[in-house]
Amino acid sequence: MATRTEDGVARGGSLARVLVYGLLLLAAAYFLLPLYVMLTTSFKTLGQISGGNLFALPAPFSLTGWQQAWSSACTGSDCTGLQHYFWNSVAFTVPAVLLSTAFGALNGYVLTKWRFKGSEIIFGLLLVGTFVPFQMFLLPMARVLGMIGLDNSVAGLTLVHSVYGVAFTTLFCRNYYVAIPDELVKAARIDGASFISTFRYVILPISTPILMVCVIWQFTQIWNDFLFGVVFTSGDAHPITVALNNLVNTSSTGIKRYNVDMAGAIITALPTLVVYIVAGRYFMRGLTAGAVKG
């Protein structure tokens, strides 16, 4: 009797496992279907797209869409293709991510391990900053950028994203550092470590998970931003998101180039995908590290 019961439980467990994996595979296929359509369409010619099946594989494969989406030829302040604007986005995203992450880590360290009068008020103001909509910053930032001579420039966009991102990175790092024992900082002080030395040699070495969270969050937000890019830049200073919008909505022949549009969308999305693949394993670890204290 016991053997029959155990066999029944085993068969039931196997059936449940098969059903679970089957549902997961169906869900994965459902969410990956748009990506499949984008990839296959990007490798088709316009003739294949207009006369073929949406889900059919390219026959033959064509790189024309990718070449037209990437190739860049500039006339005056306007460029065709995404190559020029891709490097624009790299030029402001990388320094903005590094600056906002560095200042966020330093702020989080100060607000948790070096308490001072009014620190809670400052943290509260930074917290409020994370809930302020983008649109409320547009006019003040545009005026400031014009006053300092950084309007319509990649450098100005770097400054905007760096300043706006500090509130988020400070919140992340502060919640993470709350869970770090105060005794580590006290021991460093007793040993004669300075403010910066304690941060560099004690705090930073154990901050990898939360720093990766900040990098992934900031990179995704900054790279994918459209609003700041279209408001604070113009012409050849546009980021790739604005250039992709222009690419999709313009055609010299009047014919919708779906292969070029799909290739451009994939090119635009690739950097964030690479960042998630490289650093994604730290993301959940860093998000939950300070969730039970502070």
mmCIF file with all atom_site columns, all heavy atoms in Angstrom, residues 56-77:
data_model
loop_
_atom_site.group_PDB
_atom_site.id
_atom_site.type_symbol
_atom_site.label_atom_id
_atom_site.label_alt_id
_atom_site.label_comp_id
_atom_site.label_asym_id
_atom_site.label_entity_id
_atom_site.label_seq_id
_atom_site.pdbx_PDB_ins_code
_atom_site.Cartn_x
_atom_site.Cartn_y
_atom_site.Cartn_z
_atom_site.occupancy
_atom_site.B_iso_or_equiv
_atom_site.pdbx_formal_charge
_atom_site.auth_seq_id
_atom_site.auth_comp_id
_atom_site.auth_asym_id
_atom_site.auth_atom_id
_atom_site.pdbx_PDB_model_num
ATOM 1   N N   . ALA A 1 56 ? 7.068  34.053 -41.599 1.00 0.00 ? 56 ALA A N   1
ATOM 2   C CA  . ALA A 1 56 ? 7.973  33.270 -42.439 1.00 0.00 ? 56 ALA A CA  1
ATOM 3   C C   . ALA A 1 56 ? 9.406  33.749 -42.283 1.00 0.00 ? 56 ALA A C   1
ATOM 4   O O   . ALA A 1 56 ? 9.670  34.943 -42.042 1.00 0.00 ? 56 ALA A O   1
ATOM 5   C CB  . ALA A 1 56 ? 7.544  33.360 -43.895 1.00 0.00 ? 56 ALA A CB  1
ATOM 6   N N   . LEU A 1 57 ? 10.342 32.831 -42.412 1.00 0.00 ? 57 LEU A N   1
ATOM 7   C CA  . LEU A 1 57 ? 11.762 33.192 -42.362 1.00 0.00 ? 57 LEU A CA  1
ATOM 8   C C   . LEU A 1 57 ? 12.169 33.913 -43.636 1.00 0.00 ? 57 LEU A C   1
ATOM 9   O O   . LEU A 1 57 ? 11.581 33.673 -44.706 1.00 0.00 ? 57 LEU A O   1
ATOM 10  C CB  . LEU A 1 57 ? 12.613 31.932 -42.188 1.00 0.00 ? 57 LEU A CB  1
ATOM 11  C CG  . LEU A 1 57 ? 12.525 31.232 -40.828 1.00 0.00 ? 57 LEU A CG  1
ATOM 12  C CD1 . LEU A 1 57 ? 13.276 29.901 -40.869 1.00 0.00 ? 57 LEU A CD1 1
ATOM 13  C CD2 . LEU A 1 57 ? 13.071 32.108 -39.720 1.00 0.00 ? 57 LEU A CD2 1
ATOM 14  N N   . PRO A 1 58 ? 13.153 34.806 -43.566 1.00 0.00 ? 58 PRO A N   1
ATOM 15  C CA  . PRO A 1 58 ? 13.623 35.497 -44.775 1.00 0.00 ? 58 PRO A CA  1
ATOM 16  C C   . PRO A 1 58 ? 14.200 34.501 -45.776 1.00 0.00 ? 58 PRO A C   1
ATOM 17  O O   . PRO A 1 58 ? 14.932 33.593 -45.413 1.00 0.00 ? 58 PRO A O   1
ATOM 18  C CB  . PRO A 1 58 ? 14.723 36.428 -44.240 1.00 0.00 ? 58 PRO A CB  1
ATOM 19  C CG  . PRO A 1 58 ? 14.468 36.539 -42.784 1.00 0.00 ? 58 PRO A CG  1
ATOM 20  C CD  . PRO A 1 58 ? 13.850 35.255 -42.355 1.00 0.00 ? 58 PRO A CD  1
ATOM 21  N N   . ALA A 1 59 ? 13.869 34.676 -47.019 1.00 0.00 ? 59 ALA A N   1
ATOM 22  C CA  . ALA A 1 59 ? 14.381 33.779 -48.060 1.00 0.00 ? 59 ALA A CA  1
ATOM 23  C C   . ALA A 1 59 ? 14.629 34.591 -49.334 1.00 0.00 ? 59 ALA A C   1
ATOM 24  O O   . ALA A 1 59 ? 13.696 34.850 -50.109 1.00 0.00 ? 59 ALA A O   1
ATOM 25  C CB  . ALA A 1 59 ? 13.400 32.644 -48.322 1.00 0.00 ? 59 ALA A CB  1
ATOM 26  N N   . PRO A 1 60 ? 15.866 35.023 -49.593 1.00 0.00 ? 60 PRO A N   1
ATOM 27  C CA  . PRO A 1 60 ? 17.054 34.817 -48.744 1.00 0.00 ? 60 PRO A CA  1
ATOM 28  C C   . PRO A 1 60 ? 17.177 35.933 -47.689 1.00 0.00 ? 60 PRO A C   1
ATOM 29  O O   . PRO A 1 60 ? 16.448 36.911 -47.724 1.00 0.00 ? 60 PRO A O   1
ATOM 30  C CB  . PRO A 1 60 ? 18.187 34.927 -49.750 1.00 0.00 ? 60 PRO A CB  1
ATOM 31  C CG  . PRO A 1 60 ? 17.664 35.919 -50.750 1.00 0.00 ? 60 PRO A CG  1
ATOM 32  C CD  . PRO A 1 60 ? 16.187 35.660 -50.859 1.00 0.00 ? 60 PRO A CD  1
ATOM 33  N N   . PHE A 1 61 ? 18.150 35.752 -46.782 1.00 0.00 ? 61 PHE A N   1
ATOM 34  C CA  . PHE A 1 61 ? 18.436 36.783 -45.780 1.00 0.00 ? 61 PHE A CA  1
ATOM 35  C C   . PHE A 1 61 ? 19.031 38.006 -46.462 1.00 0.00 ? 61 PHE A C   1
ATOM 36  O O   . PHE A 1 61 ? 19.861 37.898 -47.360 1.00 0.00 ? 61 PHE A O   1
ATOM 37  C CB  . PHE A 1 61 ? 19.411 36.248 -44.738 1.00 0.00 ? 61 PHE A CB  1
ATOM 38  C CG  . PHE A 1 61 ? 18.759 35.462 -43.636 1.00 0.00 ? 61 PHE A CG  1
ATOM 39  C CD1 . PHE A 1 61 ? 18.397 34.139 -43.847 1.00 0.00 ? 61 PHE A CD1 1
ATOM 40  C CD2 . PHE A 1 61 ? 18.483 36.024 -42.410 1.00 0.00 ? 61 PHE A CD2 1
ATOM 41  C CE1 . PHE A 1 61 ? 17.789 33.395 -42.850 1.00 0.00 ? 61 PHE A CE1 1
ATOM 42  C CE2 . PHE A 1 61 ? 17.874 35.306 -41.400 1.00 0.00 ? 61 PHE A CE2 1
ATOM 43  C CZ  . PHE A 1 61 ? 17.524 33.981 -41.622 1.00 0.00 ? 61 PHE A CZ  1
ATOM 44  N N   . SER A 1 62 ? 18.614 39.177 -46.007 1.00 0.00 ? 62 SER A N   1
ATOM 45  C CA  . SER A 1 62 ? 19.112 40.428 -46.566 1.00 0.00 ? 62 SER A CA  1
ATOM 46  C C   . SER A 1 62 ? 19.562 41.350 -45.434 1.00 0.00 ? 62 SER A C   1
ATOM 47  O O   . SER A 1 62 ? 18.866 41.498 -44.431 1.00 0.00 ? 62 SER A O   1
ATOM 48  C CB  . SER A 1 62 ? 18.017 41.121 -47.392 1.00 0.00 ? 62 SER A CB  1
ATOM 49  O OG  . SER A 1 62 ? 18.424 42.415 -47.796 1.00 0.00 ? 62 SER A OG  1
ATOM 50  N N   . LEU A 1 63 ? 20.712 41.971 -45.603 1.00 0.00 ? 63 LEU A N   1
ATOM 51  C CA  . LEU A 1 63 ? 21.238 42.911 -44.607 1.00 0.00 ? 63 LEU A CA  1
ATOM 52  C C   . LEU A 1 63 ? 20.958 44.361 -44.981 1.00 0.00 ? 63 LEU A C   1
ATOM 53  O O   . LEU A 1 63 ? 21.463 45.279 -44.332 1.00 0.00 ? 63 LEU A O   1
ATOM 54  C CB  . LEU A 1 63 ? 22.754 42.713 -44.452 1.00 0.00 ? 63 LEU A CB  1
ATOM 55  C CG  . LEU A 1 63 ? 23.210 41.384 -43.854 1.00 0.00 ? 63 LEU A CG  1
ATOM 56  C CD1 . LEU A 1 63 ? 24.734 41.297 -43.858 1.00 0.00 ? 63 LEU A CD1 1
ATOM 57  C CD2 . LEU A 1 63 ? 22.680 41.218 -42.429 1.00 0.00 ? 63 LEU A CD2 1
ATOM 58  N N   . THR A 1 64 ? 20.134 44.550 -46.004 1.00 0.00 ? 64 THR A N   1
ATOM 59  C CA  . THR A 1 64 ? 19.845 45.910 -46.473 1.00 0.00 ? 64 THR A CA  1
ATOM 60  C C   . THR A 1 64 ? 19.220 46.767 -45.382 1.00 0.00 ? 64 THR A C   1
ATOM 61  O O   . THR A 1 64 ? 19.593 47.930 -45.191 1.00 0.00 ? 64 THR A O   1
ATOM 62  C CB  . THR A 1 64 ? 18.901 45.852 -47.689 1.00 0.00 ? 64 THR A CB  1
ATOM 63  O OG1 . THR A 1 64 ? 19.500 45.075 -48.720 1.00 0.00 ? 64 THR A OG1 1
ATOM 64  C CG2 . THR A 1 64 ? 18.627 47.255 -48.201 1.00 0.00 ? 64 THR A CG2 1
ATOM 65  N N   . GLY A 1 65 ? 18.260 46.211 -44.648 1.00 0.00 ? 65 GLY A N   1
ATOM 66  C CA  . GLY A 1 65 ? 17.604 46.968 -43.583 1.00 0.00 ? 65 GLY A CA  1
ATOM 67  C C   . GLY A 1 65 ? 18.574 47.402 -42.513 1.00 0.00 ? 65 GLY A C   1
ATOM 68  O O   . GLY A 1 65 ? 18.521 48.537 -42.025 1.00 0.00 ? 65 GLY A O   1
ATOM 69  N N   . TRP A 1 66 ? 19.490 46.505 -42.117 1.00 0.00 ? 66 TRP A N   1
ATOM 70  C CA  . TRP A 1 66 ? 20.478 46.835 -41.096 1.00 0.00 ? 66 TRP A CA  1
ATOM 71  C C   . TRP A 1 66 ? 21.464 47.892 -41.596 1.00 0.00 ? 66 TRP A C   1
ATOM 72  O O   . TRP A 1 66 ? 21.832 48.802 -40.849 1.00 0.00 ? 66 TRP A O   1
ATOM 73  C CB  . TRP A 1 66 ? 21.235 45.578 -40.678 1.00 0.00 ? 66 TRP A CB  1
ATOM 74  C CG  . TRP A 1 66 ? 20.406 44.644 -39.853 1.00 0.00 ? 66 TRP A CG  1
ATOM 75  C CD1 . TRP A 1 66 ? 19.474 43.747 -40.294 1.00 0.00 ? 66 TRP A CD1 1
ATOM 76  C CD2 . TRP A 1 66 ? 20.402 44.550 -38.426 1.00 0.00 ? 66 TRP A CD2 1
ATOM 77  N NE1 . TRP A 1 66 ? 18.903 43.081 -39.241 1.00 0.00 ? 66 TRP A NE1 1
ATOM 78  C CE2 . TRP A 1 66 ? 19.444 43.547 -38.087 1.00 0.00 ? 66 TRP A CE2 1
ATOM 79  C CE3 . TRP A 1 66 ? 21.102 45.180 -37.414 1.00 0.00 ? 66 TRP A CE3 1
ATOM 80  C CZ2 . TRP A 1 66 ? 19.184 43.196 -36.761 1.00 0.00 ? 66 TRP A CZ2 1
ATOM 81  C CZ3 . TRP A 1 66 ? 20.845 44.835 -36.093 1.00 0.00 ? 66 TRP A CZ3 1
ATOM 82  C CH2 . TRP A 1 66 ? 19.905 43.850 -35.778 1.00 0.00 ? 66 TRP A CH2 1
ATOM 83  N N   . GLN A 1 67 ? 21.872 47.770 -42.845 1.00 0.00 ? 67 GLN A N   1
ATOM 84  C CA  . GLN A 1 67 ? 22.813 48.749 -43.400 1.00 0.00 ? 67 GLN A CA  1
ATOM 85  C C   . GLN A 1 67 ? 22.193 50.134 -43.475 1.00 0.00 ? 67 GLN A C   1
ATOM 86  O O   . GLN A 1 67 ? 22.831 51.140 -43.137 1.00 0.00 ? 67 GLN A O   1
ATOM 87  C CB  . GLN A 1 67 ? 23.262 48.281 -44.785 1.00 0.00 ? 67 GLN A CB  1
ATOM 88  C CG  . GLN A 1 67 ? 24.127 47.028 -44.761 1.00 0.00 ? 67 GLN A CG  1
ATOM 89  C CD  . GLN A 1 67 ? 24.349 46.452 -46.135 1.00 0.00 ? 67 GLN A CD  1
ATOM 90  O OE1 . GLN A 1 67 ? 23.703 46.846 -47.114 1.00 0.00 ? 67 GLN A OE1 1
ATOM 91  N NE2 . GLN A 1 67 ? 25.267 45.491 -46.247 1.00 0.00 ? 67 GLN A NE2 1
ATOM 92  N N   . GLN A 1 68 ? 20.933 50.207 -43.908 1.00 0.00 ? 68 GLN A N   1
ATOM 93  C CA  . GLN A 1 68 ? 20.273 51.503 -44.007 1.00 0.00 ? 68 GLN A CA  1
ATOM 94  C C   . GLN A 1 68 ? 19.964 52.092 -42.634 1.00 0.00 ? 68 GLN A C   1
ATOM 95  O O   . GLN A 1 68 ? 19.982 53.310 -42.462 1.00 0.00 ? 68 GLN A O   1
ATOM 96  C CB  . GLN A 1 68 ? 18.982 51.362 -44.816 1.00 0.00 ? 68 GLN A CB  1
ATOM 97  C CG  . GLN A 1 68 ? 19.210 51.027 -46.279 1.00 0.00 ? 68 GLN A CG  1
ATOM 98  C CD  . GLN A 1 68 ? 17.907 50.890 -47.051 1.00 0.00 ? 68 GLN A CD  1
ATOM 99  O OE1 . GLN A 1 68 ? 16.821 51.042 -46.503 1.00 0.00 ? 68 GLN A OE1 1
ATOM 100 N NE2 . GLN A 1 68 ? 18.021 50.581 -48.336 1.00 0.00 ? 68 GLN A NE2 1
ATOM 101 N N   . ALA A 1 69 ? 19.667 51.237 -41.659 1.00 0.00 ? 69 ALA A N   1
ATOM 102 C CA  . ALA A 1 69 ? 19.380 51.734 -40.308 1.00 0.00 ? 69 ALA A CA  1
ATOM 103 C C   . ALA A 1 69 ? 20.635 52.252 -39.625 1.00 0.00 ? 69 ALA A C   1
ATOM 104 O O   . ALA A 1 69 ? 20.582 53.221 -38.867 1.00 0.00 ? 69 ALA A O   1
ATOM 105 C CB  . ALA A 1 69 ? 18.754 50.627 -39.477 1.00 0.00 ? 69 ALA A CB  1
ATOM 106 N N   . TRP A 1 70 ? 21.774 51.626 -39.890 1.00 0.00 ? 70 TRP A N   1
ATOM 107 C CA  . TRP A 1 70 ? 23.012 51.979 -39.196 1.00 0.00 ? 70 TRP A CA  1
ATOM 108 C C   . TRP A 1 70 ? 23.803 53.062 -39.903 1.00 0.00 ? 70 TRP A C   1
ATOM 109 O O   . TRP A 1 70 ? 24.378 53.936 -39.259 1.00 0.00 ? 70 TRP A O   1
ATOM 110 C CB  . TRP A 1 70 ? 23.878 50.739 -39.022 1.00 0.00 ? 70 TRP A CB  1
ATOM 111 C CG  . TRP A 1 70 ? 25.212 51.004 -38.365 1.00 0.00 ? 70 TRP A CG  1
ATOM 112 C CD1 . TRP A 1 70 ? 26.450 50.978 -38.948 1.00 0.00 ? 70 TRP A CD1 1
ATOM 113 C CD2 . TRP A 1 70 ? 25.441 51.355 -36.992 1.00 0.00 ? 70 TRP A CD2 1
ATOM 114 N NE1 . TRP A 1 70 ? 27.423 51.268 -38.038 1.00 0.00 ? 70 TRP A NE1 1
ATOM 115 C CE2 . TRP A 1 70 ? 26.838 51.510 -36.827 1.00 0.00 ? 70 TRP A CE2 1
ATOM 116 C CE3 . TRP A 1 70 ? 24.596 51.544 -35.894 1.00 0.00 ? 70 TRP A CE3 1
ATOM 117 C CZ2 . TRP A 1 70 ? 27.401 51.846 -35.595 1.00 0.00 ? 70 TRP A CZ2 1
ATOM 118 C CZ3 . TRP A 1 70 ? 25.164 51.875 -34.669 1.00 0.00 ? 70 TRP A CZ3 1
ATOM 119 C CH2 . TRP A 1 70 ? 26.547 52.024 -34.533 1.00 0.00 ? 70 TRP A CH2 1
ATOM 120 N N   . SER A 1 71 ? 23.861 53.009 -41.233 1.00 0.00 ? 71 SER A N   1
ATOM 121 C CA  . SER A 1 71 ? 24.711 53.925 -41.993 1.00 0.00 ? 71 SER A CA  1
ATOM 122 C C   . SER A 1 71 ? 24.337 55.356 -41.688 1.00 0.00 ? 71 SER A C   1
ATOM 123 O O   . SER A 1 71 ? 23.158 55.703 -41.544 1.00 0.00 ? 71 SER A O   1
ATOM 124 C CB  . SER A 1 71 ? 24.586 53.664 -43.495 1.00 0.00 ? 71 SER A CB  1
ATOM 125 O OG  . SER A 1 71 ? 23.260 53.893 -43.919 1.00 0.00 ? 71 SER A OG  1
ATOM 126 N N   . SER A 1 72 ? 25.351 56.193 -41.603 1.00 0.00 ? 72 SER A N   1
ATOM 127 C CA  . SER A 1 72 ? 25.137 57.588 -41.206 1.00 0.00 ? 72 SER A CA  1
ATOM 128 C C   . SER A 1 72 ? 25.843 58.522 -42.169 1.00 0.00 ? 72 SER A C   1
ATOM 129 O O   . SER A 1 72 ? 27.047 58.410 -42.387 1.00 0.00 ? 72 SER A O   1
ATOM 130 C CB  . SER A 1 72 ? 25.641 57.827 -39.783 1.00 0.00 ? 72 SER A CB  1
ATOM 131 O OG  . SER A 1 72 ? 25.341 59.127 -39.351 1.00 0.00 ? 72 SER A OG  1
ATOM 132 N N   . ALA A 1 73 ? 25.079 59.424 -42.766 1.00 0.00 ? 73 ALA A N   1
ATOM 133 C CA  . ALA A 1 73 ? 25.633 60.468 -43.613 1.00 0.00 ? 73 ALA A CA  1
ATOM 134 C C   . ALA A 1 73 ? 25.046 61.790 -43.161 1.00 0.00 ? 73 ALA A C   1
ATOM 135 O O   . ALA A 1 73 ? 23.837 61.978 -43.168 1.00 0.00 ? 73 ALA A O   1
ATOM 136 C CB  . ALA A 1 73 ? 25.292 60.207 -45.083 1.00 0.00 ? 73 ALA A CB  1
ATOM 137 N N   . CYS A 1 74 ? 25.916 62.705 -42.738 1.00 0.00 ? 74 CYS A N   1
ATOM 138 C CA  . CYS A 1 74 ? 25.451 63.973 -42.157 1.00 0.00 ? 74 CYS A CA  1
ATOM 139 C C   . CYS A 1 74 ? 25.538 65.106 -43.165 1.00 0.00 ? 74 CYS A C   1
ATOM 140 O O   . CYS A 1 74 ? 26.549 65.252 -43.869 1.00 0.00 ? 74 CYS A O   1
ATOM 141 C CB  . CYS A 1 74 ? 26.266 64.321 -40.913 1.00 0.00 ? 74 CYS A CB  1
ATOM 142 S SG  . CYS A 1 74 ? 26.095 63.123 -39.569 1.00 0.00 ? 74 CYS A SG  1
ATOM 143 N N   . THR A 1 75 ? 24.478 65.891 -43.247 1.00 0.00 ? 75 THR A N   1
ATOM 144 C CA  . THR A 1 75 ? 24.444 67.089 -44.065 1.00 0.00 ? 75 THR A CA  1
ATOM 145 C C   . THR A 1 75 ? 24.035 68.250 -43.172 1.00 0.00 ? 75 THR A C   1
ATOM 146 O O   . THR A 1 75 ? 22.891 68.325 -42.725 1.00 0.00 ? 75 THR A O   1
ATOM 147 C CB  . THR A 1 75 ? 23.443 66.945 -45.229 1.00 0.00 ? 75 THR A CB  1
ATOM 148 O OG1 . THR A 1 75 ? 23.786 65.798 -46.009 1.00 0.00 ? 75 THR A OG1 1
ATOM 149 C CG2 . THR A 1 75 ? 23.485 68.184 -46.104 1.00 0.00 ? 75 THR A CG2 1
ATOM 150 N N   . GLY A 1 76 ? 24.988 69.141 -42.898 1.00 0.00 ? 76 GLY A N   1
ATOM 151 C CA  . GLY A 1 76 ? 24.704 70.220 -41.961 1.00 0.00 ? 76 GLY A CA  1
ATOM 152 C C   . GLY A 1 76 ? 24.521 69.663 -40.564 1.00 0.00 ? 76 GLY A C   1
ATOM 153 O O   . GLY A 1 76 ? 25.394 69.001 -40.019 1.00 0.00 ? 76 GLY A O   1
ATOM 154 N N   . SER A 1 77 ? 23.348 69.924 -39.976 1.00 0.00 ? 77 SER A N   1
ATOM 155 C CA  . SER A 1 77 ? 23.079 69.451 -38.611 1.00 0.00 ? 77 SER A CA  1
ATOM 156 C C   . SER A 1 77 ? 22.170 68.227 -38.594 1.00 0.00 ? 77 SER A C   1
ATOM 157 O O   . SER A 1 77 ? 21.729 67.802 -37.536 1.00 0.00 ? 77 SER A O   1
ATOM 158 C CB  . SER A 1 77 ? 22.416 70.574 -37.792 1.00 0.00 ? 77 SER A CB  1
ATOM 159 O OG  . SER A 1 77 ? 21.188 70.944 -38.379 1.00 0.00 ? 77 SER A OG  1
#
